[in-house]
C-alpha cells in the first residue's frame, strides 16, 4: 500500500505512546532537581497586606521561598497579550498589569502569590501551605454582568468599568438599514458556556540555569516552544534568546491551553537562577482547573433579518466577552478576528455588523480553546438560522440552501475571502448519510418508547491556517504567523525534517513524513520529523488553529522544492541527462524508459562526498524555507445530530451523528477521522455537559471532575464521518486543516436537535438534564410523550 | 511534610485496638473516599488502620432470607455474589453500578455507609431494606444510623463490623447518576417485604438519604407505578446545586420511584 498522501498509515509515534515510552515534561529528571509549589490566592479579589514566609522557610527541605516583590525586583517583566485591539473610538485596549507572582492584589482564585522551592514535591507543598498571606478581601466581579454593572468592583485600575475594549467590525449603518427593512427578523440571546480545557497531561515545567554558561534550559508543555522563548526573552526578560533553550517534548494534548506562557514557567526559570537548582513544577488537576486558560464565555444578542424569500439581508451581533482577571497571550484576538470574521458563516450576507465588548472579571484568564472564536461564531449563526427557519415555517435545510455562498472566491462583509467549497454538496451528503428523510418515522418509533426524538443540523465554516503575516500584522498581531521547515537529506539518504509546528497529539511524525515520502519516492520509515526544540529547529510559530497542515506542511513542501532542485541537478550531472527528465520514485532518481538511474542514497552520498558535483555547487543536501500563507483556509461542513430525550429526567442521548466535512486535500484519512471524532466529542461535551461555573464570590464551583462533566465514551454515538472535499486554492497541497472542525460544528447541531425534540427553543449550553427537563415543562411536550 | 503511620489489622478487634492507640487515626477500608480526601489535604489523619484485610469483616452469608454482609466486603463482591442474587438481586444490581470497576474492587459497604455521602448509593438500600448496622458493641437500625450529611450515629473510633437484613419479596433500585461524578443525583430503592413497602432515597435530599413516607403509604396500598401518580416529595427539602435545583430533584424522586417500582413488580 502507498505510504504517501491519502494513505491511512498507522501513526509512527503510537508505539512509544501505547507502550508507555513517551517522554513528557514530567518524565524529565535533572540532576540536582528541586521542586516548586505555589501559594495561591483563596480569594477572587483581595489586597495583599503582607506575606509571612519565615515558618515556611524553616520547614524541612525548603531551599527558598520567593515572592512577587523579589521577582519584580529582579526585573522580570509582566505577562502580556500579544495582539493589540483598538476600541471603536480608536483608543488602545486597556491591558492591566499581570505579574507572574502577584504583588499588591490578587484577582482570581488561584492567582499565584509566592513559590516554595524544596527538595521534594511534598516538602514544597507543605511549605507553600505554611506561607501566611494576609489579605484584605475586596468586592468581586465574578461574571460579565457583575463586571459591567454600575459601580462594579474595578479589577484593574486602568480599565474603567472593567472594559478592555469596545470593538466593532462591519457596517453598522448598512446593517441597521437592512434589518429595518427586513420582512422577518429573528432575534436571540445566546450564551456560550465557559469551558476548562482539561488536556490529559497537566502543564509542567523543568527549568535549569547553567551558572558557568549563563544559560537557561526550559522543558515545558508548550504548543509553540519558539514563541515561548521569544516571549520569555523579549517581554519577560528572563534571558536573551541565545541564552535560553526551550524544549517541548511529548505533550499530552493542548487544545489551545498550552499556547500561552504562564506564570509558572517564568517563575521556574527565575527560581532556577536564584537557587542554582533545576526547578520542576507539574500542575495537579486542581491547579489545572484553577489556572489553565479557560475557553469561550460569551454573552450575545443577535438579530438576523430576512427578505420575504428567506434571503438574509442583514446580521447584527453584539457580544460581551469575559477575559478573566488578566489578558492572556492571544486573548484579545479570539472574540474579534477569530470570531466576528466568521459571522457570515456559509452564507451570502450583504450586511453584517458585530460589536464586541471585552471585560475583566475575577476569574482565571480566558483565551483560545479548540476552535477559539469560531465555535462561538458558528453557534450564533447556526442557532439563528435554525430558529429563523422555525419562525418563518421554512425547512431548515432549504433556508440554508437559499443562502449558501455558491461562487468562489467570495468576499464576506467581515474581512474573510473564501477561496473554495461546495457548501450544498456537503449538506446533501450529510442529510443523505443521516437519512434525514426517514426522520419522521424514527421520531414516531421513539415516541412509542416514550422518548422525544429530534434532529438538527449545523453548517459551520471556520478559518484555519492562521495566517498571512502582513494581514494579521495590520490587524494588530505582534508576531508574523508563517511557518518554517528544514529538510536535511543525510549522506545515506535518510531524511530529517525539522519543523516549527509542534505535535501534541496530532500525529505530525506520520503525516509530515507521508508528504515527504511521496515527494521523494522514499520509504516512510526513512524519514524522521524533528520538532519541539529551539536548539534544533531555528524558529517556528507552533501549532494551533489547525495551522500545521496548511502552514507547517506548506513550509515543508517549499523546502522539499529546493531539495528536489538540487537532487535533480546532481543526478543529471552524474547521469548526463536533463534534470527535467528525471523522476523520483521507488527510492531512485531515474530517467524513465532508460537504464539511467541512481539510488536515492547515491545522490545523498554524492552531495556529501562532493567528489563530483556540478561546477559551483556547494556540498551537502539541506534546505530551509519559510512559508507565509497568502490567505486563511476555510474548512467547512455540515453536521447532523439526532437525539433522544427522556422526558422524565431530561437526559439527552445523542443517538446519531453525521459529519460531512470539506478539509481540502487529506494526507492521512485515519488521522483526520480521529481529529473529527475528538472534536465532535469535545463539541458534544460543550453542548451537553461541560461548564466552568464560578459563584458570585468568584469561587470555582465546578473545579474538579466531581462537578465538571467531561464527555465519556457513552456520551457519544459511533460517528459517521464523510468527506466532500474541494481543494484549497491558496496553498501548494490544497490542504484546509481539520483540527478544530468537530468542536466548531457540533454544539449548534446538538442544540438544534434538542430544541427540535422538545419544541422549546429556549435551551442554553450545557443542555444538562435539569435544564432540558425544565424546558420540557415550560413547553408542555412531556405530556404529549408520556 | 505530612507523615502518617500505616497499620494493617487482621481482624476487627485488632483494628479497634490499633486505632485506640493513635492520636488522630482513621480506619481505612477501600480508601476510595479517604485517600482522595487525603490527597487533596481535606483529611490528614495521624494513622491509618487498614481493615480491608480483616478476615472477620469480609464476606456474605445468606441463611434463608437473612443476609449478613461483612463491613469490608467490596462492591464487586456484593455485585457478583450468586447466593445474594438469589434472594436479593436488587442490592447486587445497585452495587454493580457504583463508580467504576476500580472503585468497586476497592470500595466497601462499610466504608460507604460510615461515610454517608449524601449522594452514595448504599444508604438508600440500607433504609429500604430496613438493614441493621452492627458494630463491636451494638446494633443500629438504618433509620437511626444515617443522621445527616456525612453524619452517622457512629461514635468516634467505632467500627462497623457487618450489615444484616431480611431479603424483601421484591425490590429494585433506580438511579439517575450525576453527569459528572456518577454518584446518585437521585437514587430510589424500593423494597416490598413482610413489614410493607419501604422507599429509600439518596442523592436528592438536602439532609442526606431519607425514607419517602408518602410513597411508602401509597405503595402499601397498591404496589404499582401508577399508585405514585400525583405524589411527590417537597422540593424545598431537596438539594439544589449546579446540576439541578430542588424542583428538578423532587421530580427525579418521583420518576425514579416509579421506575424502581416498575422494575420490582
Ligand atoms: C471515582 C469514584 C466513583 C465513585 N462512585 C460512587 C458511586 O457511584 N456511588 C457510591 O455510592 N459511591 C461511589 N464512590 C465511593 C465508593 O463507593 C467508596 O467505596 C465509599 O464511599 C467508601 O468506601 P471505602 O471502602 O473506599 O472507604 P474509605 O475511603 O476507606 O473510608 C471512608 C470512611 O469510612 C470510614 N470507614 C471505613 N470502613 C469503616 C468501618 N468498617 N467502620 C467504620 N468506619 C469505616 C473511614 O475511616 C473513612 O472515614 C466512588 C468513589 C470514587 C473514587
Amino acid at each position: 500500500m502507498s505510504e504517501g498522501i491519502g494513505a491511512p498509515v498507522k501513526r509512527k509515534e503510537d508505539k512509544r505512546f501505547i507502550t508507555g515510552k513517551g517522554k513528557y515534561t514530567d518524565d524529565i529528571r535533572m540532576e540536582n532537581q528541586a521542586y516548586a509549589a505555589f501559594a495561591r490566592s483563596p480569594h477572587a479579589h483581595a489586597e495583599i497586606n503582607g506575606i509571612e514566609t519565615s515558618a515556611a522557610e524553616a520547614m524541612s527541605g525548603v531551599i527558598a521561598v520567593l515572592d512577587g516583590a523579589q521577582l519584580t525586583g529582579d526585573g522580570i517583566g509582566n505577562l502580556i497579550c500579544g495582539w493589540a485591539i483598538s476600541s471603536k473610538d480608536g483608543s488602545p485596549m486597556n491591558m492591566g498589569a499581570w505579574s507572574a507572582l502577584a504583588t499588591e492584589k490578587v484577582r482570581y482564585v488561584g492567582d499565584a502569590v509566592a513559590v516554595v522551592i524544596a527538595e521534594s514535591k511534598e516538602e514544597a507543598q507543605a511549605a507553600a501551605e505554611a506561607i501566611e498571606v494576609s489579605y484584605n478581601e475586596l468586592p468581586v466581579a465574578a461574571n460579565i454582568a457583575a463586571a459591567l454593572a454600575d459601580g462594579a468592583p474595578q479589577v484593574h485600575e486602568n480599565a474603567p468599568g472593567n472594559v478592555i475594549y469596545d470593538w466593532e467590525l462591519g457596517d453598522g449603518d448598512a446593517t441597521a438599514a437592512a434589518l429595518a427593512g427586513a420582512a422577518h427578523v429573528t432575534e436571540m440571546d445566546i450564551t456560550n458556556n465557559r469551558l476548562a480545557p482539561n488536556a490529559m497531561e497537566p502543564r509542567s515545567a523543568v527549568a535549569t540555569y547553567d551558572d558557568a554558561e549563563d544559560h537557561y534550559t526550559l522543558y515545558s508543555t508548550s504548543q509553540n516552544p519558539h514563541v515561548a522563548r521569544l516571549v520569555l526573552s523579549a517581554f519577560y526578560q528572563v534571558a536573551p534568546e541565545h541564552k535560553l533553550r526551550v524544549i517541548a517534548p511529548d505533550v499530552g494534548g493542548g487544545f489551545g491551553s498550552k499556547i500561552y506562557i504562564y506564570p509558572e514557567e517564568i517563575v521556574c526559570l527565575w527560581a532556577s537562577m536564584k537557587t542554582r537548582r533545576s526547578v520542576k513544577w507539574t500542575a495537579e488537576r486542581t491547579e489545572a482547573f484553577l489556572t489553565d486558560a479557560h475557553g469561550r464565555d460569551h454573552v450575545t444578542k443577535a438579530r438576523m433579518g430576512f427578505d420575504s424569500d428567506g434571503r438574509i439581508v442583514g446580521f447584527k451581533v453584539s457580544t460581551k466577552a469575559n477575559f478573566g482577571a488578566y489578558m492572556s497571550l492571544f486573548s484579545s484576538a479570539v472574540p474579534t478576528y477569530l470570531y466576528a470574521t466568521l459571522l457570515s458563516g456559509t452564507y451570502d450576507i450583504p450586511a453584517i455588523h458585530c460589536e464586541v465588548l471585552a471585560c475583566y472579571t475575577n476569574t482565571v484568564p480566558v483565551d483560545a480553546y479548540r476552535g477559539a472564536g469560531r465555535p462561538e461564531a458558528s453557534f450564533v449563526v447556526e442557532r439563528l438560522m435554525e430558529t429563523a427557519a422555525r419562525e418563518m415555517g421554512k425547512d431548515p435545510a432549504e433556508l440554508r440552501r437559499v443562502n449558501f455562498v455558491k461562487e468562489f472566491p467570495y468576499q464576506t462583509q467581515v474581512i474573510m475571502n473564501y477561496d473554495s467549497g461546495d457548501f450544498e454538496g456537503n449538506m446533501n451528503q450529510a442529510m443523505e448519510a443521516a437519512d434525514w428523510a426517514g426522520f419522521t418515522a424514527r421520531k414516531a418509533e421513539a415516541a412509542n418508547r416514550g422518548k422525544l426524538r429530534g434532529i438538527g443540523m449545523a453548517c459551520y465554516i471556520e478559518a484555519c491556517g492562521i495566517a498571512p503575516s502582513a494581514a494579521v500584522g495590520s490587524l494588530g498581531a505582534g508576531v508574523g504567523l508563517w511557518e518554517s521547515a528544514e529538510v536535511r537529506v543525510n549522506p545515506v539518504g535518510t531524511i530529517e525534517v525539522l519543523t516549527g509546528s509542534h505535535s501534541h497529539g496530532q500525529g505530525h511524525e506520520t503525516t509530515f513524513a507521508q508528504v515527504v515520502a511521496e515527494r521523494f519516492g522514499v520509504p516512510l520509515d526513512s524519514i524522521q520529523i524533528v520538532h519541539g526544540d529551539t536548539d534544533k529547529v531555528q524558529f517556528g510559530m507552533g501549532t494551533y488553529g489547525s495551522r500545521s497542515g496548511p502552514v507547517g506542511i506548506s513550509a515543508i513542501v517549499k523546502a522539499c522544492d529546493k531539495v528536489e532542485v538540487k537532487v535533480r541537478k546532481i543526478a543529471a550531472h552524474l547521469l548526463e541527462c536533463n534534470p527535467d527528465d528525471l523522476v523520483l520514485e521507488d527510492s531512485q532518481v531515474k530517467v524513465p524508459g532508460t537504464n539511467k538511474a541512481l539510488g536515492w542514497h547515491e545522490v545523498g552520498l554524492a552531495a556529501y562526498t562532493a567528489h563530483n558535483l556540478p561546477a559551483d555547487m556547494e556540498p551537502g543536501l539541506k534546505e530551509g524555507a519559510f512559508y507565509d500563507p497568502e490567505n486563511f483556509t476555510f474548512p467547512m461542513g455540515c453536521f447532523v445530530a439526532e437525539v433522544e430525550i427522556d422526558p422524565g429526567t431530561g437526559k439527552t442521548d445523542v443517538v446519531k451523528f453525521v459529519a460531512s466535512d470539506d478539509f481540502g486535500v487529506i494526507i492521512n484519512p485515519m488521522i483526520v477521522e480521529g481529529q473529527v471524532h475528538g472534536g465532535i466529542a469535545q463539541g458534544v461535551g460543550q453542548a451537553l455537559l461541560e461548564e466552568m461555573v464560578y459563584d458570585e464570590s468568584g469561587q470555582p464551583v465546578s473545579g474538579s471532575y466531581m462537578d465538571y462533566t467531561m464527555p465519556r465514551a457513552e456520551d457519544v454515538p459511533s460517528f459517521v464521518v464523510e468527506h466532500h472535499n474541494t481543494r484549497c486554492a491558496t496553498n501548494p497541497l490544497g490542504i484546509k486543516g481539520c483540527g478544530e472542525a468537530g468542536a466548531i460544528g457540533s454544539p449548534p447541531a446538538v442544540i438544534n436537535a434538542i430544541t427540535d425534540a422538545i419544541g422549546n427553543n429556549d435551551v442554553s449550553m450545557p443542555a444538562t438534564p435539569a435544564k432540558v427537563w425544565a424546558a420540557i415543562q415550560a413547553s408542555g411536550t412531556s405530556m404529549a410523550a408520556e | 511534610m505530612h507523615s502518617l503511620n500505616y497499620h494493617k489489622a487482621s481482624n476487627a478487634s485488632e483494628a479497634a485496638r490499633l486505632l485506640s492507640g493513635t492520636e488522630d487515626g482513621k480506619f481505612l477500608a477501600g480508601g476510595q473516599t479517604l485517600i482522595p480526601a487525603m490527597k487533596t489535604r481535606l483529611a490528614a489523619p495521624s494513622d491509618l488502620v487498614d481493615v480491608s484485610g480483616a478476615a472477620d469483616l469480609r464476606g456474605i452469608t445468606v441463611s434463608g432470607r437473612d443476609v449478613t454482609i461483612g463491613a469490608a466486603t467490596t462492591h464487586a463482591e456484593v455485585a457478583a455474589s450468586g447466593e445474594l442474587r438469589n434472594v436479593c438481586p436488587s442490592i447486587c444490581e445497585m452495587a454493580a453500578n457504583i463508580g467504576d470497576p476500580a472503585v468497586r474492587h476497592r470500595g466497601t459497604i462499610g466504608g460507604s455507609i460510615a461515610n454517608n455521602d449524601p449522594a452514595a448509593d448504599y444508604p438508600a438500600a440500607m433504609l429500604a431494606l430496613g438493614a441493621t448496622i452492627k458494630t463491636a458493641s451494638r446494633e443500629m437500625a438504618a433509620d437511626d444510623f444515617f443522621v445527616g450529611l456525612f453524619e452517622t450515629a457512629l461514635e468516634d473510633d467505632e467500627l462497623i463490623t457487618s450489615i444484616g437484613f431480611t431479603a424483601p419479596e421484591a425490590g429494585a433500585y433506580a438511579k439517575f447518576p450525576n453527569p459528572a461524578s456518577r454518584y446518585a443525583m437521585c437514587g430510589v430503592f424500593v423494597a416490598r417485604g413482610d413489614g410493607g413497602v419501604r422507599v429509600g432515597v439518596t442523592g436528592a435530599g438536602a439532609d442526606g438519604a431519607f425514607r419517602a413516607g408518602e410513597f411508602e403509604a401509597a405503595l402499601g396500598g397498591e404496589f404499582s407505578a401508577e399508585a405514585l401518580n400525583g405524589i411527590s416529595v417537597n422540593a424545598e427539602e431537596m438539594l439544589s446545586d449546579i446540576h439541578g435545583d430542588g424542583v428538578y430533584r423532587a421530580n427525579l424522586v418521583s420518576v425514579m420511584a416509579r421506575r424502581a417500582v416498575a422494575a420490582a413488580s
Side-chain angles (χ1 to χ4, degrees):
Chain A
M1 194 187 28
S2 152
E3 299 178 323
I5 293 172
V9 296
K10 290 212 173 113
R11 303 196 338 157
K12 293 173 74 167
E13 46 272 81
D14 280 350
K15 182 173 178 193
R16 73 174 188 277
F17 293 144
I18 288 170
T19 58
K21 305 250 170 64
K23 202 163 183 71
Y24 297 89
T25 300
D26 192 60
D27 295 323
I28 305 294
R29 299 228 182 320
M30 307 301 285
E31 266 182 55
N32 209 19
Q33 174 176 295
Y35 296 81
F38 290 84
R40 299 187 180 280
S41 171
H43 306 298
H45 199 194
E47 283 164 358
I48 301 173
N49 289 334
I51 304 175
E52 180 50 58
T53 59
S54 51
E57 277 159 11
M59 287 171 72
S60 82
V62 173
I63 298 162
V65 182
L66 304 169
D67 66 17
Q70 289 162 285
L71 180 100
T72 42
D74 281 355
I76 302 295
N78 285 331
L79 284 85
I80 51 116
C81 173
W83 195 308
I85 300 286
S86 298
S87 287
K88 291 170 186 167
D89 63 8
S91 60
M93 63 188 188
N94 299 320
M95 179 156 56
W98 184 7
S99 172
L101 293 173
T103 49
E104 282 145 30
K105 250 172 87 166
V106 288
R107 295 183 172 85
Y108 69 95
V109 173
D111 211 349
V113 176
V115 65
V116 176
I117 312 301
E119 297 293 344
S120 71
K121 183 171 183 171
E122 293 72 21
E123 287 167 322
Q125 285 174 335
E129 276 173 26
I131 294 173
E132 277 174 38
V133 185
S134 112
Y135 292 105
N136 176 27
E137 282 185 64
L138 297 170
V140 172
N143 52 52
I144 293 172
L148 296 176
D150 285 344
Q154 276 287 124
V155 181
H156 289 276
E157 287 302 313
N158 62 334
N162 297 314
V163 173
I164 297 170
Y165 55 69
D166 181 4
W167 174 90
E168 69 179 335
L169 182 68
D171 189 333
D173 292 341
T175 305
L179 288 169
H184 177 87
V185 176
T186 290
E187 181 168 332
M188 290 181 82
D189 290 307
I190 289 176
T191 300
N192 206 287
N193 43 328
R194 183 181 182 113
L195 305 175
N198 283 300
M200 196 181 292
E201 179 206 23
R203 287 190 295 118
S204 179
V206 185
T208 303
Y209 175 66
D210 180 336
D211 197 355
E213 301 284 345
D214 192 25
H215 181 277
Y216 293 80
T217 303
L218 174 69
Y219 285 88
S220 170
T221 46
S222 175
Q223 299 179 212
N224 36 215
H226 294 88
V227 176
R229 184 177 68 160
L230 173 68
V231 173
L232 285 163
S233 170
F235 297 100
Y236 309 153
Q237 323 292 346
V238 173
E241 273 182 288
H242 67 302
K243 292 290 186 186
L244 173 59
R245 176 182 184 187
V246 179
I247 303 167
D250 285 332
V251 174
F255 312 112
S257 69
K258 293 172 181 167
I259 298 172
Y260 328 114
I261 290 66
Y262 289 87
E264 291 84 1
E265 289 114 68
I266 301 170
V267 170
C268 284
L269 280 163
W270 168 67
S272 139
M273 183 273 292
K274 291 289 258 195
T275 60
R276 299 295 198 265
R277 297 285 296 267
S278 283
V279 174
K280 174 185 257 184
W281 169 80
T282 300
E284 308 219 314
R285 186 56 65 183
T286 309
E287 275 181 303
F289 272 108
L290 289 179
T291 66
D292 289 0
H294 290 165
R296 322 279 194 252
D297 206 342
H298 284 192
V299 174
T300 293
K301 189 176 270 306
R303 300 179 74 224
M304 192 182 267
F306 297 83
D307 68 16
S308 50
D309 298 329
R311 292 191 136 273
I312 308 170
V313 295
F315 189 26
K316 165 85 187 204
V317 177
S318 302
T319 292
K320 297 183 175 101
N322 186 348
F323 273 47
Y326 301 102
M327 290 188 76
S328 176
L329 194 62
F330 284 125
S331 55
S332 57
V334 178
T336 48
Y337 293 112
L338 296 178
Y339 167 71
T341 52
L342 274 306
L343 287 171
S344 199
T346 50
Y347 311 110
D348 176 17
I349 305 182
I352 302 176
H353 184 225
C354 178
E355 298 171 305
V356 178
L357 191 72
C359 70
Y360 282 118
T361 61
N362 292 115
T363 61
V364 76
V366 177
D367 207 325
Y369 168 70
R370 199 174 195 170
R374 291 149 290 162
E376 295 91 316
S378 163
F379 193 72
V380 169
V381 173
E382 289 304 292
R383 285 290 291 132
L384 270 115
M385 285 303 278
E386 191 73 26
T387 304
R390 290 174 192 167
E391 286 176 356
M392 295 187 287
K394 289 186 186 293
D395 180 277
E398 290 316 309
L399 185 67
R400 287 175 170 90
R401 209 183 291 279
V402 165
N403 285 288
F404 277 143
V405 169
K406 294 183 189 79
E407 275 165 31
F408 300 91
Y410 173 80
Q411 178 62 51
T412 69
Q413 299 303 309
V414 278
I415 297 178
M416 293 304 182
N417 188 292
Y418 301 160
D419 65 294
S420 58
D422 173 16
F423 301 166
E424 218 179 332
N426 286 89
M427 187 173 76
N428 292 340
Q429 185 181 46
M431 289 175 74
E432 195 160 312
D435 184 20
W436 187 279
F439 172 72
T440 317
R442 294 194 294 280
K443 187 177 174 75
E445 185 277 331
N448 289 337
R449 286 183 282 111
K451 293 288 174 73
L452 302 169
R453 195 162 172 129
I455 194 165
M457 70 160 61
C459 296
Y460 75 91
I461 188 163
E462 56 155 333
C464 290
I466 185 168
S469 298
V472 293
S474 74
L475 300 177
V479 290
L481 287 165
W482 40 264
E483 195 46 87
S484 85
E486 191 175 307
V487 174
R488 299 177 181 168
V489 182
N490 295 317
V492 293
T494 57
I495 301 169
E496 274 131 27
V497 179
L498 286 69
T499 169
S501 297
H502 182 274
S503 183
H504 31 279
Q506 294 86 346
H508 294 174
E509 289 166 50
T510 308
T511 42
F512 288 16
Q514 284 181 261
V515 169
V516 177
E518 165 147 326
R519 180 63 184 264
F520 295 142
V522 298
L524 194 66
D525 63 12
S526 70
I527 300 159
Q528 188 76 20
I529 306 298
V530 178
H531 68 97
D533 184 341
T534 60
D535 263 13
K536 292 182 182 165
V537 179
Q538 188 247 331
F539 213 100
M541 294 314 297
T543 290
Y544 37 82
S546 307
R547 68 192 303 277
S548 300
V551 191
I553 289 181
S554 297
I556 293 173
V557 169
K558 219 175 148 189
C560 286
D561 290 346
K562 297 185 191 174
V563 169
E564 188 177 330
V565 168
K566 191 162 180 181
V567 164
R568 285 178 183 275
K569 277 189 191 157
I570 295 170
H573 173 74
L574 296 175
L575 295 172
E576 297 178 346
C577 66
N578 185 332
D580 296 337
D581 294 341
L582 291 162
V583 298
L584 283 59
E585 65 182 27
D586 300 332
S587 297
Q588 287 192 322
V589 182
K590 62 187 177 195
V591 182
T594 72
N595 63 355
K596 291 193 176 200
L598 285 173
W600 170 260
H601 63 286
E602 292 176 287
V603 180
L605 197 60
Y608 285 91
T609 59
H611 294 164
N612 183 12
L613 290 176
D616 300 332
M617 181 181 274
E618 287 178 16
L621 193 48
K622 172 187 109 166
E623 299 288 350
F626 284 71
Y627 173 81
D628 199 354
E630 58 183 83
N631 192 0
F632 286 85
T633 63
F634 301 96
M636 62 75 55
C638 177
F639 289 176
V640 176
E642 209 163 311
V643 301
E644 273 189 12
I645 294 166
D646 176 348
T649 63
K651 179 160 191 313
T652 300
D653 284 328
V654 180
V655 291
K656 194 165 182 184
F657 199 103
V658 174
S660 164
D661 295 296
D662 178 353
F663 292 147
V665 170
I666 287 176
I667 312 284
N668 184 320
M670 180 197 71
I671 289 179
V672 165
E673 187 166 343
Q675 288 283 332
V676 174
H677 286 192
I680 297 172
Q682 246 164 315
V684 170
Q686 164 156 35
L688 297 181
L689 309 166
E690 298 183 48
E691 183 169 31
M692 193 63 210
V693 180
Y694 285 86
D695 69 14
E696 297 282 297
S697 69
Q699 292 293 330
V701 181
S702 54
S704 85
Y705 293 135
M706 292 299 283
D707 288 296
Y708 190 92
T709 313
M710 289 291 283
R712 294 163 163 94
E714 71 168 48
D715 294 313
V716 288
S718 191
F719 306 116
V720 179
V721 178
E722 308 258 338
H723 294 286
H724 177 70
N725 295 319
T726 61
R727 217 186 144 83
C728 173
T730 57
N731 61 43
L733 293 186
I735 299 173
K736 294 188 178 177
C738 66
E740 298 156 293
I744 292 171
S746 48
V750 171
I751 299 297
N752 286 341
I754 292 174
T755 50
D756 175 59
I758 65 175
N760 181 347
N761 200 36
D762 190 14
V763 176
S764 66
M765 298 192 292
T768 59
K771 272 193 215 165
V772 173
W773 180 79
I776 292 171
Q777 302 314 301
S779 73
T781 345
S782 61
M783 303 316 290
E786 280 217 333
Chain B
M1 190 166 46
H2 189 79
S3 59
L4 67 92
N5 304 307
Y6 171 86
H7 316 267
K8 193 159 176 74
S10 53
N11 58 54
S13 59
E14 188 188 4
R17 199 183 66 242
L18 283 168
L19 193 75
S20 67
T22 67
E23 192 190 321
D24 180 23
K26 279 216 161 268
F27 294 121
L28 175 73
Q32 297 303 295
T33 296
L34 187 49
I35 303 279
M38 289 168 66
K39 280 192 185 164
T40 50
R41 295 167 175 255
L42 294 171
S46 65
D47 296 69
L48 288 179
V49 176
D50 186 346
V51 300
S52 65
D56 53 350
L57 294 179
R58 301 197 66 136
I60 299 165
T61 39
V62 178
S63 133
R65 300 199 68 78
D66 290 333
V67 177
T68 306
I69 304 175
T73 307
T74 64
H75 310 330
E77 287 163 347
V78 170
S81 167
E83 232 185 331
L84 182 56
R85 190 171 288 268
N86 281 340
V87 296
C88 189
S90 49
I91 195 168
C92 304
E93 297 290 331
M94 188 222 76
N97 282 306
I98 295 175
D100 52 47
V103 169
R104 292 195 289 275
H105 280 85
R106 297 291 313 170
T108 67
I109 186 169
S112 177
I113 63 173
N115 192 50
N116 193 19
D117 188 312
D121 295 300
Y122 266 122
M126 297 296 100
L127 289 172
L129 295 170
T132 304
I133 287 92
K134 294 177 193 152
T135 70
S137 55
R138 57 181 176 147
E139 296 190 354
M140 284 163 274
D143 288 343
D144 304 324
F145 181 83
F146 299 107
V147 175
L149 306 178
F150 299 101
E151 227 188 304
T152 67
L154 286 174
E155 301 286 334
D156 279 351
D157 299 357
E158 192 174 4
L159 179 71
I160 303 171
T161 51
S162 68
I163 285 90
F165 62 88
T166 303
E169 286 157 33
Y173 181 62
K175 171 177 180 176
F176 188 75
N178 176 302
S181 72
R182 303 288 165 112
Y183 275 69
M185 204 156 140
C186 171
V188 179
F189 204 114
V190 176
R192 179 167 58 83
D194 291 342
V197 178
R198 294 172 64 105
V199 179
V201 181
T202 191
D207 294 325
F210 66 93
R211 278 176 63 191
E214 265 193 77
F215 288 43
E216 292 181 354
L219 292 169
E222 182 202 324
F223 193 71
S224 76
E226 291 70 41
L228 293 174
N229 284 347
I231 306 178
S232 59
V233 293
N234 184 350
E236 276 162 30
E237 290 166 14
M238 297 298 110
L239 266 174
S240 181
D241 60 19
I242 59 168
H243 304 288
D245 60 10
V247 173
Y248 178 64
R249 276 197 171 76
N251 164 68
L252 285 182
V253 175
S254 296
V255 173
M256 291 300 124
R258 283 202 292 271
R259 290 182 187 178
V261 171
S265 33

